[in-house]
Amino acid sequence: MKILVTGANGFVGKNLCVSLPEHKILKFDVDTKLLLLDEYCHEAEFVFHLAGVNRPKDPSEFASGNVGFTTILLDSLKKSNNKCPIVLSSSAQAALNNPYGISKRSGEELIRAYGNETGANVTIYRFPNIFGKWCRPNYNSAVATFCHNIARNLPITIYDQTTELTLVYIDDLIEEFKRVLAGNLAEDEIVTHRAELGYIVQLIKGFRNNRNELTVPELSDPFIKKLHATYLSYLPVSEFSYPLKMNLDNRGSFTEILRTNHHGQFSVNITKPGVVKGNHWHNTKSEKFLVVGGEGLIRLRRMDSMDSKIIEHRVCGEKMEVVDIPPGYTHNIKNIGENDLITFMWCNEPFNPEKPDTVYLEV
C-alpha cells in the first residue's frame, strides 16, 4: 500500500513510518519540495495528515501551517480525483479559542467538508499530550523535557505540581492508526493516562536513581512501564552502560545485577576452578541457578536428616538448565572444570543483612 504521511519527520510521523515496513511510505515534511506533493497525492492509497505548527515564532504561522497546508493537501488530492481515506492528527486544544486551538479546529472543518464533498472516508483524532521516544525536549512536551533534563541532571521548572495531564503513549497511538489503516475502527477510545506533574517528575527522578539502588520500577503498572521506557530513550549515549560492584575474594566474585520488591534479586556468581561455594540452607528463600559458562556440580541435601540422599546436578554452559534450590535444602556448587564457572542466580527476595535467612550446613 502507498501511504502519504505529512509531517513524516515529526514525533508521531517518525514512529508511524518505522511501524509500517510492509508499505511504501511517501514521506512529506517541511523541507520536502512542494512539487512532490501532487505526485504523492496522485499515488497515495491512504493519507496520514500529521503535519502542523504548534510552537511558531509568529502566531500567524498557526493559520498558514495548520489551515493553509491542509487546504493545499486537499486541493492536490482533488486534482488527482483521489478519494482515498484520510486520518487527521488534531489536538485536544481544538476545543479552545486560542490561536493554536482555532487553527486546529479550522483544519478539522476543512477535512470534514472534504469528506462530505468527495465521499472520502475521513477520521479525525483530537489527541491530548503525547509522550514516548523521539519527542523533541524543551519544545512543547513536558514529559520529553522532564526525561531529557533529569537524565542529564539539568534543572526543570514546574509552576504547579498538582496540574493534571491527560497523556497518550506513542505506541498506543500508532496501534490505533494501524487499526484504522486496516479498516478496523476501535470500539473503545484510545488508551489515555491521567497524572499530576509532581507525580510524573517523582517517577522520572526515581528512574534515574534505579541504577544506584540496582532496582527497577513497578512495571506492572502500564503508565509507569510506558514512562520508564520513554525515560530510557532520553539517556545520553555516554550513559548507556554503568558499572556494578563486584564482591571479590580468592574463590571468585559475586555481583548483584538487580533487586526488586516483588520479583526478587538477580546476580552473577563466578567460581574459580576447584572451589566450592555455598554449604548453607534457607527457611523461606528459594533460588534458581543457571550456569552459563564452565562446568559445575550442584549438590543438595534435605537438611532435617543427615541420612537424606544427596542430589547432584552436573551443569555446564553448553547446556542451559535451571536448577531450583528449594527452602530446607542445604546446597553448594563446585567448579569441576578448568575455567571459571559462571552462574546466573535468582533469589526470591533481595538480600537483607539484618535478616539473611542463611544457615551454614555442609552438604
Side-chain angles (χ1 to χ4, degrees):
M1 199 173 193
K2 295 179 180 178
I3 302 171
L4 169 58
V5 179
T6 70
N9 293 331
F11 168 40
V12 178
K14 287 180 181 178
N15 279 274
L16 177 62
C17 290
V18 299
S19 72
L20 302 172
E22 69 274 26
H23 300 286
K24 180 179 180 180
I25 308 300
L26 308 173
K27 297 182 180 181
F28 193 92
D29 211 277
V30 65
D31 55 355
T32 308
K33 293 181 179 179
L34 193 59
L35 290 174
L36 283 175
L37 187 61
D38 284 344
E39 177 184 332
Y40 290 169
C41 284
H42 179 75
E43 292 183 49
E45 298 169 83
F46 202 102
V47 176
F48 284 100
H49 183 26
L50 313 179
V53 174
N54 52 27
R55 188 64 72 89
K57 295 180 180 179
D58 187 334
S60 64
E61 294 177 39
F62 281 129
S64 61
N66 296 329
V67 182
F69 178 71
T70 299
T71 301
I72 294 172
L73 171 67
L74 298 178
D75 285 346
S76 184
L77 288 169
K78 287 178 183 177
K79 279 193 293 184
S80 294
N81 194 30
N82 188 343
K83 301 176 184 179
C84 69
I86 302 176
V87 168
L88 172 67
S89 174
S90 186
S91 167
Q93 290 200 43
L96 304 180
N97 286 322
N98 56 40
Y100 176 63
I102 292 170
S103 68
K104 297 301 286 186
R105 190 162 62 246
S106 298
E108 292 177 0
E109 292 168 354
L110 287 172
I111 294 288
R112 287 194 190 92
Y114 172 81
N116 291 333
E117 177 186 345
T118 64
N121 185 12
V122 300
T123 306
I124 298 172
Y125 288 94
R126 284 187 174 182
F127 291 120
N129 299 276
I130 307 171
F131 72 105
K133 66 183 183 299
W134 304 337
C135 185
R136 179 178 169 186
N138 299 301
Y139 185 56
N140 69 335
S141 168
V143 171
T145 300
F146 294 159
C147 288
H148 177 273
N149 287 18
I150 290 172
R152 291 161 176 76
N153 288 314
L154 298 174
I156 59 172
T157 301
I158 306 177
Y159 296 105
D160 184 357
Q161 295 198 20
T162 64
T163 298
E164 190 173 61
L165 298 183
T166 301
L167 299 155
V168 169
Y169 184 54
I170 186 63
D171 286 6
D172 294 331
L173 183 157
I174 298 303
E175 285 304 308
E176 175 69 9
F177 278 177
K178 289 167 74 173
R179 283 194 291 269
V180 176
L181 180 63
N184 301 320
L185 287 175
E187 295 181 1
D188 301 323
E189 293 183 356
I190 191 169
V191 176
T192 60
H193 305 275
R194 295 184 66 83
E196 292 184 351
L197 284 175
Y199 176 63
I200 293 171
V201 170
Q202 176 188 338
L203 287 174
I204 297 173
K205 288 183 175 179
F207 301 157
R208 184 187 62 190
N209 295 331
N210 284 152
R211 286 183 171 185
N212 297 329
E213 300 168 353
L214 297 184
T215 57
V216 291
E218 185 46 66
L219 299 178
S220 61
D221 182 301
F223 175 64
I224 295 177
K225 179 181 178 181
K226 295 167 185 176
L227 187 64
H228 181 249
T230 301
Y231 169 76
L232 292 178
S233 73
Y234 286 90
L235 283 175
V237 173
S238 60
E239 295 189 19
F240 280 7
S241 65
Y242 57 101
L244 296 173
K245 179 185 177 184
M246 295 181 68
N247 299 288
L248 295 160
D249 60 26
N250 59 353
R251 301 174 304 159
S253 66
F254 180 83
T255 305
E256 185 178 351
I257 303 171
L258 282 177
R259 55 174 49 217
T260 71
N261 292 328
H262 305 289
H263 305 292
Q265 174 180 312
F266 302 81
S267 311
V268 172
N269 196 351
I270 298 178
T271 307
K272 296 296 182 182
V275 169
V276 177
K277 286 188 175 183
N279 282 321
H280 59 240
W281 63 276
H282 313 293
N283 284 292
T284 302
K285 280 186 179 180
S286 63
E287 298 173 294
K288 292 180 183 289
F289 290 0
L290 172 63
V291 168
V292 296
E295 297 177 78
L297 178 66
I298 298 174
R299 304 170 78 234
L300 305 95
R301 178 175 59 83
R302 188 166 145 167
M303 53 70 55
D304 60 346
S305 172
M306 292 299 293
D307 297 327
S308 294
K309 180 182 178 181
I310 293 177
I311 304 164
E312 294 187 344
H313 291 274
R314 295 180 69 93
V315 288
C316 68
E318 295 180 357
K319 180 185 177 183
M320 294 292 175
E321 180 180 10
V322 173
V323 178
D324 270 312
I325 312 295
Y329 281 80
T330 186
H331 54 278
N332 63 28
I333 182 169
K334 180 179 181 179
N335 185 343
I336 59 174
E338 298 180 355
N339 302 311
D340 284 351
L341 177 67
I342 304 171
T343 309
F344 180 79
M345 295 181 171
W346 171 84
C347 182
N348 66 339
E349 62 181 40
F351 178 73
N352 180 356
E354 297 180 0
K355 190 179 179 182
D357 187 14
T358 301
V359 184
Y360 178 81
L361 182 66
E362 291 274 358
V363 174

